[in-house]
Every structure is written in structure tokens, then in C-alpha cells.
């Protein structure tokens, strides 16, 4: 599944939230969904740190308004940690989830900062996340965002 930022069509500072919602759905419906339908490719909408779709209820509504099996949610467990609980997003989105992306970090809410960590060493409640994924019967791929790379360099 290919991912892309929506900054050019979701909105900019000063734009009305409703306009970003409407504009982004129009672009997806007019330009992206017809090709996705033809190629039988699912469009995974990810909540990213751009102040758009910041609650699981919003994400569910946004996806549902397409009324298409080709538009689903791409759940990033770490992205909602600042203002929500990943396990709640999972339970709310349920069958709308196309894929899951995992990462972890430690939050310092007082300073408004965070530090990336290995999975299980940060603030994500992994037992709750795993339980929620089991509850909604998610059995798809999980992509990790962790440090690593070529040990020889």
C-alpha cells in the first residue's frame, strides 16, 4: 500500500476545517477513486500529524462517506498517541481498517516533546492494542517504523 501526504489538498493553516474535508473528499472521489476501483486497489486514509481527522469518530465518518469498499483506514498506532488511545481507534474503526502501521515513543506532555523508542519501550499500551486488534478480528499486514538498517554501515 502506497502512502502519500494530503497537505496539498487537505488544507493549510487558516483554511476552514470543513473546506479541507470537502476538498479532500472531492479530490479522492474525482481523481483517485475511479482508478482505485478500476485497479482494485484500496485507498488507505491515514491520520497524520496535520490536524485533520483527529478522532476515531471523524475518521470513521470520513471513510464511510465514500460508501466504497475501495476507501478504508490506514491505522498508524503512534500517530494518535498525543490526543487519544490507539485501542479506541481500533475498536471504533474495526472493519474499516485496511492496514496497520506501528511505532512507539515516549511523550513529555509538559514540554510538548517526544522521543522515538523501540516498540514496547514507549507509551503505547501494546497489550491493549493487541487485544483491540483481536476483538475487531484484524488479520492483515502490520508495518513497523523502527530504527535499524544495515548493521554493516
Amino acid at each position: 500500500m502506497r502512502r502519500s501526504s494530503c497537505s496539498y489538498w487537505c488544507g493549510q493553516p487558516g483554511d476552514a476545517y470543513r473546506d479541507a474535508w470537502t476538498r479532500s473528499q472531492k479530490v479522492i472521489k474525482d481523481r483517485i477513486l475511479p482508478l482505485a476501483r478500476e485497479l482494485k486497489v484500496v485507498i488507505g486514509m491515514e491520520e497524520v500529524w496535520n490536524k485533520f481527522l483527529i478522532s476515531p469518530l471523524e475518521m470513521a465518518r470520513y471513510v464511510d462517506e465514500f460508501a466504497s469498499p475501495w476507501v478504508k483506514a490506514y491505522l498508524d498506532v503512534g500517530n494518535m498517541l498525543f490526543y487519544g488511545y490507539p485501542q479506541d481507534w481500533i475498536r471504533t474503526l474495526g472493519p474499516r481498517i485496511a492496514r496497520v502501521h506501528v511505532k512507539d515513543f515516549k511523550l513529555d506532555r509538559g514540554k510538548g516533546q517526544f522521543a522515538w523508542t523501540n516498540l514496547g519501550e514507549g507509551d503505547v499500551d501494546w497489550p491493549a492494542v493487541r487485544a483491540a486488534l483481536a476483538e475487531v478480528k484484524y488479520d492483515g499486514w502490520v508495518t513497523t517504523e523502527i530504527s535499524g538498517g544495515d548493521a554493516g554501515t
Side-chain angles (χ1 to χ4, degrees):
M1 182 178 302
R2 190 170 186 179
R3 297 184 326 160
S4 173
S5 170
C6 71
S7 61
Y8 76 98
W9 45 271
C10 282
Q12 302 298 322
D15 284 355
Y17 195 92
R18 180 183 309 268
D19 293 343
W21 182 289
T22 304
R23 183 173 49 249
S24 64
Q25 283 194 333
K26 180 170 178 26
V27 169
I28 293 166
K29 286 176 184 174
D30 295 350
R31 298 184 193 173
I32 302 171
L33 188 54
L35 183 60
R37 190 179 301 117
E38 177 186 331
L39 298 175
K40 296 181 174 45
V41 174
V42 171
I43 302 165
M45 304 303 301
E46 181 179 3
E47 185 283 313
V48 296
W49 298 339
N50 66 350
K51 301 177 183 165
F52 187 65
L53 302 176
I54 57 175
S55 84
L57 295 173
E58 277 185 285
M59 176 66 89
R61 178 179 162 205
Y62 187 83
V63 168
D64 289 350
E65 286 182 359
F66 287 99
S68 172
W70 305 110
V71 179
K72 297 209 176 247
Y74 186 97
L75 183 88
D76 186 316
V77 171
N79 282 356
M80 68 276 308
L81 193 58
F82 287 108
Y83 43 81
Y85 301 96
Q87 58 272 22
D88 185 43
W89 281 70
I90 293 164
R91 289 183 183 105
T92 301
L93 294 173
R96 296 173 188 88
I97 300 171
R99 294 288 184 267
V100 175
H101 177 195
V102 296
K103 62 183 171 230
D104 205 348
F105 43 81
K106 273 298 227 193
L107 299 175
D108 184 339
R109 293 185 190 277
K111 293 182 180 177
Q113 298 176 337
F114 65 93
W116 296 100
T117 66
N118 290 320
L119 296 179
E121 296 175 2
D123 291 325
V124 173
D125 183 346
W126 292 106
V129 167
R130 287 192 305 273
L133 288 169
E135 285 173 32
V136 301
K137 298 178 177 30
Y138 179 78
D139 66 352
W141 291 95
V142 175
T143 303
T144 59
E145 185 175 342
I146 56 175
S147 63
D150 187 353
T153 58

